[in-house]
Amino acid sequence: MTARIGIVTVSDRASRGEYEDRGGPAIHEYLKEVLTSDWTPEARVIPDELSTITETLIELCDQEQCCLVVTTGGTGPARRDITPEATLAVAEKEMPGFGELMRKVSLEKVPTAILSRQTAVIRGGTLIINLPGQPKAIQECLDAVFPAVPYCIDLLEGPFLETDEGRLVAFRPKKK
């Protein structure tokens, strides 16, 4: 079964073509590097608008049947940064450990990471993870949380995600 993975860049300027989207491609490259199982990206570049973000997340989860949706951008404290609010609006369950770990890892690099509001939630059979917008921070955050992602998808009865163990080892409990 081929996994469908949503990649969403939330940026007013990138959605208008005024700014090169670097976050979405960074997520795509990361997943190409880490995942060895079959997967198909569903990429979107959208503005920082609450209704657009919620509609896009609902579409990717409910219609496109993505097992994982990864967003980039809109997680800071600026007035237009509303990705976490949109994500929580479509959530059925919060997964606070993801945001806590991403902030911890980021704080080891820059003191301003405390301003980031990354979060993760479950909607139906989909894990949604909000990441910062910078490609370097995207990789650092995904390296921190991705070992738990395949098992989370297992628990949601999604497709079996396999990783390149030379790059990243996914944690799954040993069967007794």
Side-chain angles (χ1 to χ4, degrees), residues 91-153:
E92 294 170 4
K93 295 179 184 177
E94 291 184 54
M95 303 295 289
F98 282 84
E100 293 164 3
L101 181 56
M102 288 187 282
R103 275 183 293 283
K104 177 190 176 296
V105 167
S106 295
L107 276 168
E108 294 169 4
K109 310 289 184 196
V110 293
T112 55
I114 197 70
L115 301 175
S116 188
R117 300 176 313 116
Q118 296 108 306
T119 192
V121 303
I122 302 293
R123 177 182 175 85
T126 307
L127 172 63
I128 303 171
I129 303 172
N130 297 156
L131 297 175
Q134 294 299 318
K136 184 176 180 189
I138 288 168
Q139 180 169 345
E140 291 166 356
C141 288
L142 282 174
D143 277 346
V145 300
F146 210 85
V149 169
Y151 184 55
C152 183
I153 302 299

Side-chain angles (χ1 to χ4, degrees), residues 55-76:
E55 289 166 10
T56 301
L57 294 175
I58 290 168
E59 174 208 352
L60 291 170
C61 296
D62 299 358
Q63 279 85 51
E64 297 294 338
Q65 298 292 302
C66 293
C67 64
L68 174 65
V69 174
V70 186
T71 73
T72 177
T75 60

